[in-house]
Each structure stands twice: as structure tokens, then as C-alpha cells.
Amino acid sequence: MRTHLRITLLDDDGNKFLGEGPYRRLRLVEKTGSLRSAAASMEMAYTKALKMLKRAEEVLGFPLTHRTTGGTSGGGSHLTEQGKEWLEKYEKYRNACISAEQKLFDEFFPQQ
């Protein structure tokens, strides 16, 4: 028996703006340099991924990515420094929650 904890961040009105999916997508942007590529690899429409990204940036009050449009040199997306720092904090918070949850689970449901 085990549990599965999901960390979802909500705005002041209780609406979701960031969770594991958007977190993973932003990490893919960091790796690939492309929101379009990150969205495609997660089988998500680019427009939906962009809408979710803009929503998170609106709630946080700062840009997570710097986006450039296409052209002869092509477009792309890169995490901003503030975006990188914020994702690191989210990751540390998520990992701390998972660790605490595992300790509680072991306390309440010790292995027989």
C-alpha cells in the first residue's frame, strides 16, 4: 500500500495555476528551448500550454519565460532567471511535502 501526493498551487480565488504538469512542461522548455516542443511532447496544444503559462505568470506577477517569435532564425522560449528560481523553490517545496507525507503515512500505517 502506498499514497500519491499531488501539489497544486491555487490563486487567492482558489483557482489552480500551477501543478506537476505545468512544472514538467516548464522544465521541458528549459531543456528544449521551445514551449511548442514541450507542449507537443506532453500531447498538449501549444495554445493551451501558452494560456496556462500566461495564467501562471499573471498570478505570480512576473514572467517565467522569455518568448521570441519565429522568423528566419526561428522562435523559442527560455526560462527567465526569476522563473528558474521559482521552479527550484516549487521543486524543493514539493519534495518536502512528499517527504513529510511519507513519514506521516509510515506513522499511521506501519508495515505489518
Side-chain angles (χ1 to χ4, degrees):
M1 180 171 51
R2 66 185 185 102
T3 63
H4 179 75
L5 183 67
R6 290 180 181 246
I7 303 300
T8 302
L9 301 180
L10 310 175
D11 65 16
D12 292 338
D13 295 325
N15 299 309
K16 177 181 174 178
F17 75 92
L18 196 124
E20 194 61 26
Y23 164 80
R24 287 194 332 258
R25 197 165 29 264
L26 286 166
R27 286 297 185 197
L28 283 170
V29 167
E30 182 176 39
K31 182 179 179 181
T32 65
S34 168
L35 178 60
R36 185 175 303 280
S37 175
S41 73
M42 296 180 76
E43 299 180 355
M44 175 181 276
Y46 169 76
T47 53
K48 183 175 182 179
L50 182 59
K51 182 178 177 182
M52 293 173 79
L53 174 61
K54 287 182 177 183
R55 172 77 178 120
E57 291 175 336
E58 177 186 309
V59 171
L60 293 170
F62 58 85
L64 293 166
T65 65
H66 172 73
R67 299 176 292 280
T68 56
T69 56
T72 56
S73 61
S77 297
H78 303 283
L79 293 181
T80 62
E81 284 305 313
Q82 207 170 10
K84 289 178 187 179
E85 290 171 10
W86 200 87
L87 284 182
E88 290 295 322
K89 286 180 188 178
Y90 171 82
E91 188 174 291
K92 287 178 184 178
Y93 174 74
R94 181 201 61 198
N95 293 344
C97 288
I98 291 169
S99 178
E101 186 275 336
Q102 184 62 53
K103 288 176 187 172
L104 287 170
F105 181 81
D106 292 343
E107 179 183 329
F108 283 91
F109 301 101
Q111 296 296 319
Q112 306 294 330

